């Protein structure tokens, strides 16, 4: 009997574990190690953050789902890997520390035959003084990155609306809280939901709306922007985004590295090296992401973290990490199998894998500060990668070490994103975008790097319906309800 250990019960890990359990059946064991007791459909945190959904609507308990699937569930966080075992034995193991199940604080060594690291991001609030610290979100801003954060954001938002109703103007500042952030799409969706709710509450005229982000142009979204066919020409996402912001009266500040947050004020540096300050009454700033900080040790107990993980804490996989300067970047630098090059029974999926380089063009200020989006690994790619990795591991177990590994390169896959502005079925609008491939391939698609037949964007009410459908469909799937394997990632 082989044991597959999956670290992380988010989009990638849950997908990998549930498919692995389904494909392997009772002959082998699948173990999930994840610190949270609940699964969270993170995209709907946006609606929680404006009070349009409760956190209960976007989460559910993992334990009964894993019991139904025959998955061993350990509510714990992984701390370190010993891919060669240790002095007492050759079997690889992961050291975990329980966070629940009545064993909080206790450590355990869990041996594995195959390990899938799907630990997602560490929300690195501590990278910007005042945005937070090692314990998480600070006291001056809000976040929508977790269901609890979003619930807190909704309460603060409700307070701001009350103040406006009493005649007090409010400044809203939304975007990224550091020069090296990703996930601009989430902040983009949040600012337009805030704007929509302010209109609904009849207080839009009392609000000043300000976007701040590390993108060098509006609509970069961490993927270097995209182009869509429009009346015979290719329109850039910059046009799309600038139109949206202008129409809704949202000012923008881009190419910004927020370097300090204080009560009611952020300090920032811009790409031209100039410094500035922006005041706010309500601010939602996405933190930069890092790996969750797993350590790795060899058999002799020597620290081999730098062998297994990149300096940003994400796990090294089959990517080309030596592409060098932007001019040399190729679509083929991106990983295909997500297998660790040193330890062939280690894989990473979702945000946990180390990308070879950004997708957006790197930029540095005259002061030497780097300001550009780091590459996003959104829900769809994370789920697809999780499933492909599970498939490879199952084949390695069933067919032996020479089994063909399944591939899921972000340079050969598309992604769809729906950014709502409101939740109602008959009011508001949503921007629905598809991009193919996520990582542009300038050799295959000279000029714009993408296939314009599969890259498009629309703004309209229908996007809301898609977002509602996705919310229910993915929660239905994640609960392993009948037919779940048929629902795409
Ligand atoms: C507000 C917001 C809105 C978003 N909206 C969209 C959207 O509309 N569309 C879209 O495609 N994407 C969206 N995304 C991105 C999407 O949520 C991510 O791409 C996706 O969650 C990544 O999946 P993952 O499994 O890699 O990470 P996660 O889903 O974050 O899962 C990581 C898991 O690992 C666990 N973990 C952490 N540390 C450890 C440890 N030490 N040991 C074990 N487990 C650990 C975590 O608790 C978590 O369960 C959004 C993101 C945010 C923050």
């Amino acid at each position: 009997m082989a044991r597959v250990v999956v670290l992380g019960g988010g989009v990638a890990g849950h997908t990998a574990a549930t498919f692995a359990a389904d494909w392997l059946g009772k002959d082998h064991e699948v173990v999930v190690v994840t610190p949270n007791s609940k699964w969270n459909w993170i995209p709907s945190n946006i609606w929680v953050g404006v009070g349009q959904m409760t956190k209960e609507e976007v989460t559910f308990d993992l334990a009964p789902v894993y019991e139904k699937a025959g998955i061993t569930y350990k509510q714990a966080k992984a701390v370190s890997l010993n891919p060669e075992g240790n002095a007492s034995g050759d079997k690889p193991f992961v050291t975990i520390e329980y966070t629940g199940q009545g064993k909080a604080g206790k450590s355990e060594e869990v041996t594995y035959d195959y390990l899938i690291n799907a630990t997602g991001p560490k929300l690195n609030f501590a990278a910007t003084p005042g945005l937070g610290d090692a314990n998480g979100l600070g006291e001056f801003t809000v976040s929508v990155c977790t269901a609890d954060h979003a619930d807190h954001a909704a309460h603060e938002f409700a307070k701001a609306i009350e103040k406006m109703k009493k005649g007090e103007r409010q400044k809203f500042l939304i975007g990224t809280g550091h020069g090296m952030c990703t996930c601009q799409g989430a902040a983009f969706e949040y600012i337009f939901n805030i704007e929509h709710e302010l209109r609904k509450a009849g207080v839009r005229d009392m609000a000043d709306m300000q976007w701040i982000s590390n993108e060098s142009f509006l609509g970069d979204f961490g993927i270097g922007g995209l182009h869509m066919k429009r009346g015979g020409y290719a329109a850039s996402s910059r046009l799309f985004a600038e139109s949206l912001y202008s129409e809704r009266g949202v000012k923008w500040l881009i190419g910004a590295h927020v370097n300090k947050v204080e009560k009611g004020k952020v300090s920032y540096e811009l790409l031209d090296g100039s410094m500035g300050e922006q005041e706010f009454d309500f601010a939602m700033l996405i933190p930069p992401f890092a790996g969750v900080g797993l350590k790795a040790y060899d058999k002799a107990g020597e620290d081999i973290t730098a062998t297994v993980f990149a300096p940003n804490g994400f796990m090294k996989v089959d990517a080309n990490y030596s592409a060098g300067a932007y001019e040399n970047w190729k679509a083929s630098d991106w990983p295909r199998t997500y297998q660790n090059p040193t330890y062939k029974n280690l894989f990473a999926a979702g945000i946990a894998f180390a990308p070879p380089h950004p997708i957006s063009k790197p930029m540095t200020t005259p002061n030497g500060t780097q300001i550009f989006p780091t590459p996003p690994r959104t829900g769809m790619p994370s789920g697809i990668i999780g499933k492909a990795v599970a498939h490879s591991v199952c084949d390695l177990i069933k067919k032996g070490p020479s089994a063909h590994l399944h591939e899921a390169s972000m340079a050969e896959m598309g992604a769809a994103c729906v950014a709502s502005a409101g939740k109602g079925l008959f009011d508001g609008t949503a921007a629905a975008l598809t991009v193919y491939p996520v990582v542009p391939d300038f050799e295959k698609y000279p000029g714009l790097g993408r296939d314009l037949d599969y890259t498009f964007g629309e703004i309209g009410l229908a996007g809301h319906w898609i977002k509602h459908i996705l919310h229910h469909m993915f929660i239905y799937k994640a609960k392993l309800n009948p037919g779940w394997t048929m629902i795409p990632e």
Side-chain angles (χ1 to χ4, degrees):
M1 179 188 256
R3 180 185 283 162
V4 180
V5 175
V6 179
L7 306 181
V11 172
H14 192 70
T15 305
T18 49
F19 274 103
D22 190 48
W23 289 328
L24 292 173
K26 291 193 174 15
D27 296 343
H28 304 283
E29 187 187 12
V30 176
V31 179
V32 171
V33 174
T34 192
N36 36 305
S37 63
K38 291 185 187 283
W39 193 80
N40 176 204
W41 176 237
I42 297 172
S44 293
N45 288 357
I46 300 292
W47 283 342
V48 176
V50 289
Q52 288 299 306
M53 265 192 182
T54 63
K55 66 176 179 176
E56 288 72 26
E57 287 175 274
V58 301
T59 54
F60 63 80
D61 285 331
L62 282 171
V65 176
Y66 288 154
E67 197 182 335
K68 176 164 73 174
I71 292 172
T72 307
Y73 166 46
K74 294 181 184 284
Q75 195 191 332
K77 63 175 182 188
V79 183
S80 59
L81 305 181
N82 279 65
E84 303 169 5
N86 61 9
S88 339
D90 294 339
K91 190 86 180 162
F93 65 90
V94 51
T95 304
I96 65 170
E97 193 180 296
Y98 279 91
T99 55
Q101 297 175 322
K103 297 188 243 181
K106 289 202 174 122
S107 286
E108 187 179 310
E109 290 175 3
V110 183
T111 59
Y112 62 82
D113 295 287
Y114 290 93
L115 184 130
I116 301 173
N117 173 17
T119 44
K122 169 174 132 185
L123 302 173
N124 195 10
F125 290 104
T128 303
L131 188 62
D133 56 26
N135 299 316
L137 177 66
E139 58 185 308
F140 306 128
T141 61
V142 301
S143 150
V144 285
C145 290
T146 70
D148 283 332
H149 286 170
D151 188 51
H152 164 247
H155 284 99
E156 295 302 311
F157 181 49
K159 284 187 211 164
I161 290 183
E162 279 316 304
K163 285 183 188 162
M164 287 184 276
K165 284 188 172 162
K166 289 184 184 142
E168 200 181 320
R169 279 197 85 76
Q170 295 286 288
K171 285 186 181 160
F172 289 83
L173 178 69
I174 292 164
T176 55
H178 188 273
M180 299 294 285
C181 284
T182 181
C183 222
Q184 289 76 14
F188 168 85
E189 186 172 3
Y190 191 58
I191 197 168
F192 288 111
N193 270 275
I194 290 273
E195 202 270 342
H196 180 80
E197 293 306 321
L198 293 176
R199 275 182 206 279
K200 266 174 52 190
V203 292
R204 177 64 184 89
D205 59 329
M206 296 296 290
D208 298 311
M209 305 279 304
Q210 177 76 52
W211 170 256
I212 187 165
S213 100
N214 57 344
E215 300 156 288
S216 66
F217 61 92
L218 263 194
D220 177 287
F221 297 127
I223 54 169
L226 56 125
H227 286 79
M228 305 158 249
K229 262 196 211 161
R230 278 278 177 283
Y233 65 96
S236 130
S237 52
R238 175 180 185 157
L239 192 76
F240 181 88
E242 287 186 358
S243 160
L244 205 59
Y245 283 65
S246 305
E247 284 171 58
R248 285 163 177 73
V250 178
K251 292 188 192 141
W252 63 84
L253 194 57
I254 46 173
H257 162 57
V258 172
N259 52 27
K260 190 156 102 184
V261 181
E262 295 164 279
K263 187 173 165 48
K265 187 173 80 177
V266 297
S267 307
Y268 59 80
E269 178 180 348
L270 295 181
L271 275 170
D272 64 6
S274 62
M275 307 289 174
E277 289 180 349
Q278 182 70 49
E279 293 187 343
F280 65 82
D281 297 297
F282 176 101
M284 196 295 290
L285 299 174
I286 299 273
F289 291 176
V292 299
L294 298 181
K295 307 288 278 179
Y297 301 99
D298 69 8
K299 194 164 170 55
E302 292 297 321
D303 192 324
I304 51 162
T305 306
T307 306
V308 180
F309 297 95
N312 55 14
F314 295 121
M315 203 171 102
K316 289 184 192 168
V317 292
D318 60 321
N320 173 18
Y321 294 110
S322 51
Y326 176 71
E327 293 67 38
N328 303 328
W329 294 357
K330 287 201 165 84
S332 55
D333 297 335
W334 285 75
R336 308 179 73 84
T337 66
Y338 304 89
Q339 188 179 42
N340 180 263
T342 314
Y343 299 101
K344 303 292 180 193
N345 59 348
L346 273 185
F347 290 81
I351 292 173
F353 83 81
H357 42 66
I359 303 173
S360 304
K361 190 170 182 177
M363 308 243 177
T364 307
T365 72
N367 313 315
T369 309
Q370 290 190 304
I371 307 180
F372 56 87
T374 48
R377 265 85 27 94
T378 54
M380 198 167 153
S382 298
I384 292 173
I385 294 166
K387 188 174 174 181
V389 164
H391 214 161
S392 296
V393 167
C394 292
D395 280 356
L396 287 166
I397 292 171
K398 288 178 163 180
K399 299 178 185 167
S402 57
H404 169 75
L405 298 183
H406 293 261
E407 299 185 351
S409 165
M410 282 176 60
E412 289 169 13
M413 91 175 62
C417 262
V418 181
S420 64
K423 174 173 171 277
L425 288 177
F426 301 106
D427 66 326
T429 52
L433 297 170
T434 66
V435 57
Y436 183 89
V438 179
V439 175
D441 184 339
F442 291 97
E443 286 173 353
K444 197 162 174 192
Y445 307 105
L448 299 174
R450 298 214 172 85
D451 187 337
L452 292 198
D453 286 336
Y454 297 102
T455 301
F456 50 85
E458 286 294 336
I459 298 183
L461 184 59
H464 277 313
W465 301 347
I466 297 171
K467 175 117 185 162
H468 276 280
I469 291 166
L470 293 179
H471 170 91
H472 293 292
M473 199 170 75
F474 285 124
I475 291 181
Y476 179 92
K477 177 180 177 175
K479 286 183 173 173
L480 310 186
N481 283 314
W484 68 272
T485 54
M486 315 281 281
I487 299 172
E489 281 60 56

